Amino acid sequence: MKEYDEEILHYFLEHQTQLFPEAVAESPEEAEEFLEDCMAVVCKNIKEVRDYFDDAGMDVAGMSEEELLEASEVFAIPDGRFLVVEG
């Protein structure tokens, strides 16, 4: 199974300007290629998002869940998962 399923790809396509000033992908295939190139990560919950940022060396100890969710790199997928894309 691909890491970036159809829901992830379509959500990213619709919301990519959250992180980038203009579109970086125009199709699900382009979105998948872009996410792979960026090594974007799909997290199943906010704890995994926190762990990801912590492992990446970001100081998130004092950040609330809301502050994590407000980060432009974090895309909250409607099914409860999160996509983290570092631009």
Side-chain angles (χ1 to χ4, degrees):
M1 183 171 145
K2 295 180 184 175
E3 181 174 4
Y4 311 114
D5 60 35
E6 189 173 314
E7 186 167 6
I8 295 282
L9 296 174
H10 286 289
Y11 191 86
F12 177 73
L13 280 171
E14 291 175 17
H15 298 90
Q16 60 187 307
T17 56
Q18 165 184 318
L19 181 58
F20 303 101
E22 56 189 50
V24 294
E26 294 185 18
S27 69
E29 294 79 16
E30 288 179 8
E32 183 170 30
E33 185 176 319
F34 179 81
L35 293 173
E36 287 173 352
D37 288 347
C38 287
M39 295 186 287
V41 207
V42 177
C43 300
K44 65 180 178 183
N45 55 45
I46 195 67
K47 181 189 179 316
E48 283 190 6
V49 173
R50 183 178 298 280
D51 291 344
Y52 172 80
F53 281 133
D54 190 46
D55 290 346
M58 206 173 143
D59 183 14
V60 293
M63 291 179 74
S64 69
E65 187 174 299
E66 185 176 293
E67 289 171 319
L68 280 175
L69 293 175
E70 289 174 357
S72 59
E73 300 96 335
V74 178
F75 293 79
I77 309 303
D79 68 2
R81 294 177 295 164
F82 299 90
L83 175 66
V84 181
V85 182
E86 294 199 55

